[in-house]
Amino acid sequence: MSEARNPKSVRLAVAQTPVRDDPRDVEALRNSGRQVRALMREASAQGARIVHFPEGAICFPNKLVMSVHGPDAVGPADWDRCQWPVLQSELAAIAKLARELRLWTVIASVHRLTEPNRPHNSLYVISDRGEVVTRYDERLLSKTKVSYMYSPGISPVTFEVDGVRFGCLLGMEIHYPELFAEYEKLDVDCVLFSTTGVSPGAVAAQAQGHAAVNSYWVSFSVPTQHSATAPSGVIAPNGDWFERCPADGSPSVAVVNLDDNSEAAVESVTYARPWRRESRAGVYAGHQVTDLRSEDRTTAF
């Protein structure tokens, strides 16, 4: 949404939910689904058009729970331990509610592949018609994830809601600035980042940095377990927190208008982002000079 495009806005809700780590536990999976749907209703009541959930919103399978050598040693994950029918029924109920509420819903889940391939760690993008319109699969996984648990994804994913373009990132991908830069090149207006791993302050600070250097919005969604140090929230294109969930461990949503005409966004989007693109395109070449005093780096004063 730069000067060359008509500024548009969309109302976004970012959620924080409790994350449970045993996919064998049917009641825990059911409780997670109920919690997600309760927050979907809350987001809808506050006028949101899209709601964004953390990694593991239904379940984040623990490496020791899944390990064939567990519970005391990490090893290859035994995905037969997952209650797949229950997980699928909860996701179907979420999609049905998205259609009823006319609410775009971005929800993390394990995505099953054809055996013997390991599943993806994914973000489903469910439209306001209740349809999965695309899916993002985590590409740059932790050593444990890629060694024992998941198949990596291969590509970025973008989608649009009311003319606002979103990109998705997941898990430990906060540590890779090239992924955020990739989405800037893809002209996104907001990156939706979901994770379960948050060192106190570190990941949240990195998210602010990515928003500022790319001059776009970042939606930062984490479990309630991390809310005391890094609650979920939305970062404006200038790198400032725009709105955050409570830091008291409660399941909740923060609802904001992603409006590039807002004070927190207009300068970054209108001037900083276009200038960075121009400077990277070689604008400096015509201003470079041939001068001995420039070439001799030992010249004093």
Side-chain angles (χ1 to χ4, degrees), residues 27-68:
E27 188 55 30
L29 295 175
R30 298 291 191 201
N31 285 337
S32 290
R34 285 190 285 267
Q35 182 67 77
V36 164
R37 291 188 290 276
L39 291 178
M40 290 172 66
R41 293 185 180 93
E42 183 177 335
S44 178
Q46 295 188 47
R49 281 282 288 137
I50 177 171
V51 61
H52 168 216
F53 286 92
E55 182 182 28
I58 304 298
C59 182
F60 186 68
N62 185 286
K63 59 188 177 184
L64 293 175
V65 169
M66 301 303 293
S67 172
V68 295

Side-chain angles (χ1 to χ4, degrees), residues 2 9 66 150 172 178 248 273:
S2 66
S9 66
M66 301 303 293
Y150 299 103
M172 68 171 295
E178 62 269 27
D248 59 5
R273 187 169 180 180

Side-chain angles (χ1 to χ4, degrees), residues 15-217:
Q16 60 185 28
T17 61
V19 169
R20 300 167 175 92
D21 66 1
D22 189 346
R24 304 169 301 180
D25 189 333
V26 172
E27 188 55 30
L29 295 175
R30 298 291 191 201
N31 285 337
S32 290
R34 285 190 285 267
Q35 182 67 77
V36 164
R37 291 188 290 276
L39 291 178
M40 290 172 66
R41 293 185 180 93
E42 183 177 335
S44 178
Q46 295 188 47
R49 281 282 288 137
I50 177 171
V51 61
H52 168 216
F53 286 92
E55 182 182 28
I58 304 298
C59 182
F60 186 68
N62 185 286
K63 59 188 177 184
L64 293 175
V65 169
M66 301 303 293
S67 172
V68 295
H69 304 312
D72 299 318
V74 178
D78 177 7
W79 285 103
D80 288 338
R81 298 177 183 181
C82 179
Q83 289 287 336
W84 291 109
V86 179
L87 176 62
Q88 291 162 348
S89 69
E90 291 304 313
L91 290 168
I94 288 166
K96 180 181 178 182
L97 183 60
R99 182 178 67 248
E100 293 172 2
L101 298 175
R102 304 296 292 178
L103 178 69
W104 285 75
T105 302
V106 180
I107 183 79
S109 180
V110 179
H111 179 72
R112 196 175 192 179
L113 300 183
T114 306
E115 294 184 359
N117 296 320
R118 296 172 184 160
H120 291 311
N121 185 38
S122 303
L123 282 171
Y124 290 112
V125 178
I126 302 170
S127 76
D128 59 358
R129 302 172 71 89
E131 300 166 345
V132 176
V133 295
T134 191
R135 187 192 71 249
Y136 178 73
D137 307 318
E138 186 181 7
R139 291 174 283 168
L140 298 183
L141 304 160
S142 70
K143 186 171 183 179
T144 296
K145 279 181 176 178
V146 75
S147 298
Y148 301 116
M149 300 188 72
Y150 299 103
S151 298
I154 59 173
S155 65
V157 164
T158 65
F159 66 97
E160 291 192 9
V161 179
D162 300 342
V164 176
R165 185 175 298 171
F166 292 90
C168 299
L169 291 173
L170 185 58
M172 68 171 295
E173 293 180 329
I174 192 74
H175 302 304
Y176 297 93
E178 62 269 27
L179 298 184
F180 287 84
E182 177 182 46
Y183 277 123
E184 195 282 330
K185 292 179 182 177
L186 291 172
D187 208 26
V188 305
D189 305 304
C190 178
V191 168
L192 306 176
F193 173 66
S194 300
T195 191
T196 58
V198 180
S199 301
V203 171
Q206 287 184 75
Q208 286 183 271
H210 293 313
V213 301
N214 292 292
S215 297
Y216 53 42
W217 302 86

